[in-house]
Amino acid sequence: NVPVLLLSNPGQGKTSSTYMFCKVRSLTTGQPMDDVLLRGNSTSAEEVMGYDVSPRDVTWEKPMSAIHLRPSWFQQVLDNHEKGIRTLLFLDEITTANEFVQAALLHLIFERSCGKEKLPEDTLIVAAGNYVGNLTQGGTMALLPPVMNRFMIINLLPDHNDLDIFLNKYDGAIADKDGKCKNYMDEIHKQMIAMDKQELNIPEPKLNKIGEYFERSIKETARMLM
C-alpha cells in the first residue's frame, strides 16, 4: 500500500508506462487490472472527495442533513472491486494541481479513503508529475512538502538503452520470412513473472527484528537533530 510518485521531464512515458503496466499485470496475475484516471490540473477538490448536497424533499419546516455523493471515479473503483477487477488509481499531473486539490489528494492517498469510505485493499495508487523547472515561466504550482514526503519517489531518466524499448513496434519483421514482428508483450510478461518470483515471504518474527533496526536508527538520528 505504499503510493508511488513518478517524476520526470515531459514526454518521458510516465502515463504510457502506467497503462502498459495494467495491461501486462493482467496477463501475469490472471486477474484483470483497470486504470482509473484523476488528472490533477483539471480536477477540483470536490471531484476528489465527493459532494455534499441537500436532499430533494428538504423544507424549512423539516430541516435535514446534507447527503454525501460519491465522486464518479470512486464508484468506478468500487464497481471494479465487485467484479473482481483490481484498480490502479492514476493521479496524473499531480505537480500542477492547486493546493486545495493537493490537500484533498493528501487524505485520499495516505488515508486510503474517500470521505468516510475506504479504498479496496487491492487498489494501487500511482501518481505522476513533472519537475518544477518544467512549469511555464511564472508558474508557482509545485508539490506540497507533506504530499512529497509520503511518496516513494521514482525519478525517470531514459538513456540510449531505452530506445530499444520505445522503438520496437516493427522489430523483427525484416529477419522473418513472413514479415512478422516480435511480440514484446510476451517479453515484458516474462520479465514481470521473473520479478514476482524474487519476492520474499518474510516471517513475522524476522520482519519485527528488521523493524527494530529501523526504529533504532530513526530514534538515534532524531536525537542528534534535536
Side-chain angles (χ1 to χ4, degrees):
N1 289 339
V2 178
V4 176
L5 172 60
L6 306 177
L7 287 177
S8 78
N9 293 313
Q12 302 294 330
K14 298 183 292 295
T15 304
S16 300
S17 297
T18 304
Y19 292 153
M20 179 65 76
F21 175 83
C22 286
K23 191 173 182 181
V24 177
R25 201 64 186 155
S26 297
L27 291 173
T28 305
T29 63
Q31 182 182 11
M33 176 175 270
D34 182 32
D35 56 86
V36 174
L37 174 66
L38 266 177
R39 199 177 298 278
N41 58 1
S42 59
T43 301
S44 67
E46 290 76 19
E47 288 175 289
V48 175
M49 299 307 295
Y51 304 84
D52 285 338
V53 298
S54 297
R56 289 183 180 180
D57 57 348
V58 66
T59 64
W60 291 109
E61 294 79 19
K62 186 183 177 183
M64 298 178 66
S65 300
I67 296 174
H68 185 78
L69 297 182
R70 292 170 177 163
S72 58
W73 68 264
F74 185 60
Q75 187 61 55
Q76 186 177 348
V77 171
L78 295 179
D79 290 344
N80 284 345
H81 184 66
E82 285 292 320
K83 298 174 185 175
I85 300 172
R86 295 189 65 191
T87 297
L88 188 151
L89 180 58
F90 185 46
L91 312 175
D92 201 6
E93 302 291 349
I94 192 173
T95 48
T96 55
N98 65 50
E99 59 185 13
F100 301 106
V101 173
Q102 288 192 39
L105 290 174
L106 184 67
H107 179 78
L108 165 63
I109 296 166
F110 305 113
E111 298 296 330
R112 290 185 62 85
S113 61
C114 178
K116 295 181 179 180
E117 296 183 278
K118 288 286 187 181
L119 287 174
E121 283 297 316
D122 58 3
T123 303
L124 175 65
I125 298 176
V126 177
N130 300 324
Y131 299 117
V132 176
N134 300 133
L135 299 177
T136 55
Q137 189 172 6
T140 58
M141 292 185 184
L143 210 56
L144 298 174
V147 180
M148 175 75 81
N149 292 341
R150 288 170 171 81
F151 272 112
M152 180 175 73
I153 299 172
I154 299 177
N155 292 284
L156 302 181
L157 184 64
D159 59 21
H160 62 90
N161 294 316
D162 293 312
L163 288 174
D164 293 332
I165 298 172
F166 284 111
L167 296 175
N168 62 16
K169 184 175 180 180
Y170 304 104
D171 196 11
I174 295 175
D176 191 280
K177 62 179 181 179
D178 297 321
K180 293 181 179 179
C181 309
K182 293 180 180 177
N183 186 342
Y184 274 90
M185 282 295 292
D186 283 348
E187 292 301 317
I188 299 173
H189 182 203
K190 291 174 184 175
Q191 289 177 24
M192 198 164 285
I193 289 176
M195 290 171 65
D196 284 345
K197 289 180 179 178
Q198 294 177 25
E199 291 186 7
L200 299 176
N201 184 16
I202 303 175
E204 187 175 356
K206 188 174 182 180
L207 191 63
N208 292 340
K209 291 178 182 179
I210 295 171
E212 186 175 1
Y213 279 114
F214 275 104
E215 263 185 356
R216 288 180 180 181
S217 177
I218 292 168
K219 281 193 286 189
E220 292 304 315
T221 303
R223 282 196 181 101
M224 288 188 289
L225 292 173
M226 294 166 71

